Amino acid sequence: MPPDYHRPDDLWNQATEVLPIVDGYEPPEAAPAASSGKRSPASRYTIIGLSAVLAALLLITAGLFAAKHFRPNTETATAATTQRTTPAPTTSAAGPATPPAAGAPLASVVAWVQAGKTVDVTNYHTATTSDGTINNLGSAVAFVSPTKKIQCMTQKQATTVDQGGLSCMVALDNPPSRPTSRNFGNWVGGWVDYPGERVGVGAVKGDPGQFLLGDGPALAYGSRITFDDFDCRMDQTGLFCVNKSAESALQLSSSGAVPFGCLGAATAQNYGIEYSCGGAAPTTTTTTKSNGPVALGESCDTAGQQAKAASGAMLTCDAAGDSGLRWLNENKPVSGSSCSAGEAGTFGYTANGKLLMCSSVTSGRVYAWGDPGTLVGGQHQSGESCEGSQEGKVAKSATGTGLFCMPVSGSPGKWAWRAPS
């Protein structure tokens, strides 16, 4: 084929080469050519257009392939970001408006602590030294007050009173003196150990112990942190911590340590001051309200104050769950727990503020505390008629005891309020 058979710049005028004829193949009769081997301008533009469309489709396909295989995995990134995001602090139900004073019942301290804004404890597993080194504490927890006058940290593998639970260093105004039994070593008057059933203030420490690892993040005023058996709330009046399993609580501030719950003064042996649940009875300050009877469940304003109900029962101003202070039974019942026949018809509040009533649960004169349901409003008296639609419901009498709406024996269609038997 001569070199000038086709001009290299005239691609669209080149005739198609004919393949060799295969044996037995009879090609169809060719239509007469419209011209001498040259395509019309319309044909050329059509082919150009089709080629452009084909090229565009190829580019789009390649783009989709690249996007699928080379773009960042946004779903994974989003999931990872979600896992790393720290939940916003939440606020518990409203509790007492002021922090509990010395001698307040444990329930009041619990209510005060639980009313704080809950923080994510996973943000408190590190400690930072003065030179900026960040130490990972594993499962241990560390935090400081906003003023850094209170530094607290837990330890792992705790076995003794001065190794377990929560340890704090507090800038005390009047730290305790060294006891004669600890007449050697470096005395740290502001050291506090609180494993739960005991508290020790002031200890011999040759070094800052775990505090060599640095300070934990600041726990803001009004915030609540929960870890192990502890529930703590930071306040401008100090740090309040509750140990749930020991049923004890402790307030720490520059003024000193204030025990609550089962903690009572104990003979100091290894510390300057000691409190123990096995020591003396906890110090509790109570006053008696003298201006008339009070009603069970009625709101009150002084934790620990006592008063008599109209029924003669002694009530104590105490916190019921997160509902604030109310006049409550000194011994708080538990739903399903037994009660006596003499308590039948009486009401009580559980530690979390739920109303219960003592009544018989079987024909065998077995009594237990149970949920009375929604009480019928108003005051009623035994023998007073009630509606059939109220059968089985409970109302309060003028003395504060419970009454059931029951069918009147021998009088079909009549119902009356009766004391539970």
Side-chain angles (χ1 to χ4, degrees):
M1 185 179 296
D4 60 346
Y5 179 74
H6 295 300
R7 288 179 27 230
D9 59 342
D10 190 13
L11 300 177
W12 302 111
N13 285 330
Q14 296 179 13
T16 304
E17 291 184 2
V18 180
L19 298 175
I21 298 175
V22 182
D23 292 342
Y25 172 76
E26 292 294 337
E29 187 174 354
S35 62
S36 58
K38 294 185 178 181
R39 291 183 174 84
S40 66
S43 300
R44 284 182 286 174
Y45 290 139
T46 301
I47 295 174
I48 291 172
L50 291 173
S51 300
V53 170
L54 179 60
L57 290 174
L58 288 173
L59 288 173
I60 292 171
T61 303
L64 291 173
F65 177 86
K68 178 179 179 181
H69 292 278
F70 299 103
R71 69 180 179 183
N73 191 334
T74 56
E75 291 80 10
T76 302
T78 301
T81 302
T82 302
Q83 292 175 355
R84 291 193 299 268
T85 301
T86 300
T90 58
T91 304
S92 302
T98 57
L106 178 62
S108 299
V109 185
V110 172
W112 166 254
V113 170
Q114 291 181 346
K117 296 179 181 178
T118 303
V119 299
D120 186 355
V121 71
T122 60
N123 293 328
Y124 293 83
H125 290 316
T126 60
T128 306
T129 62
S130 57
D131 63 3
T133 301
I134 299 177
N135 294 302
N136 190 332
L137 304 178
S139 61
V141 172
F143 57 89
V144 300
S145 64
T147 62
K148 292 191 175 181
K149 290 185 177 182
I150 302 175
Q151 304 164 266
C152 296
M153 189 179 295
T154 65
Q155 286 190 15
K156 294 182 290 185
Q157 300 178 346
T159 55
T160 63
V161 65
D162 58 351
Q163 292 180 331
L166 184 65
S167 293
C168 300
M169 287 205 295
V170 185
L172 296 175
D173 296 334
N174 296 295
S177 302
R178 178 199 299 266
T180 56
S181 61
R182 308 292 285 177
N183 58 0
F184 60 91
N186 182 48
W187 178 253
V188 183
W191 188 283
V192 179
D193 282 324
Y194 177 31
E197 294 184 354
R198 298 189 68 185
V199 173
V201 182
V204 173
K205 294 293 177 180
D207 57 56
Q210 68 263 41
F211 293 103
L212 282 172
L213 298 173
D215 295 338
L219 183 63
Y221 294 133
S223 295
R224 166 196 177 196
I225 185 170
T226 302
F227 54 94
D228 301 332
D229 283 335
F230 291 91
D231 204 359
C232 298
R233 174 178 174 174
M234 187 68 71
D235 186 71
Q236 291 180 328
T237 60
L239 173 69
F240 290 81
C241 286
V242 175
N243 185 283
K244 292 167 279 190
S245 61
E247 296 186 350
S248 66
L250 182 68
Q251 178 191 5
L252 294 176
S253 69
S254 59
S255 299
V258 179
F260 298 92
C262 64
L263 293 171
T267 302
Q269 297 178 350
N270 299 319
Y271 297 89
I273 299 173
E274 291 189 37
Y275 301 98
S276 173
C277 289
T283 302
T284 304
T285 302
T286 60
T287 57
T288 302
K289 183 179 175 66
S290 58
N291 55 344
V294 297
L296 179 73
E298 187 179 60
S299 62
C300 53
D301 53 16
T302 306
Q305 190 176 34
Q306 294 183 328
K308 280 188 176 182
S311 62
M314 184 62 72
L315 304 178
T316 302
C317 183
D318 201 350
D322 292 332
S323 62
L325 297 173
R326 299 188 203 170
W327 291 110
L328 303 177
N329 306 90
E330 192 164 351
N331 295 320
K332 299 178 182 61
V334 176
S335 182
S337 62
S338 62
C339 52
S340 66
E343 294 176 297
T346 61
F347 293 96
Y349 281 88
T350 65
N352 64 2
K354 182 177 178 60
L355 181 67
L356 300 178
M357 188 179 78
C358 177
S359 61
S360 60
V361 292
T362 67
S363 57
R365 302 291 183 180
V366 176
Y367 296 84
W369 293 102
D371 183 0
T374 303
L375 300 182
V376 175
Q379 291 185 348
H380 304 273
Q381 58 184 357
S382 183
E384 178 185 340
S385 62
C386 55
E387 301 293 332
S389 59
Q390 296 175 325
E391 182 177 344
K393 293 188 176 297
V394 178
K396 279 188 176 182
S397 68
T399 59
T401 58
L403 300 172
F404 282 106
C405 181
M406 304 171 63
V408 177
S409 178
S411 300
K414 291 186 177 182
W415 292 264
W417 293 108
R418 300 291 184 189
S421 56

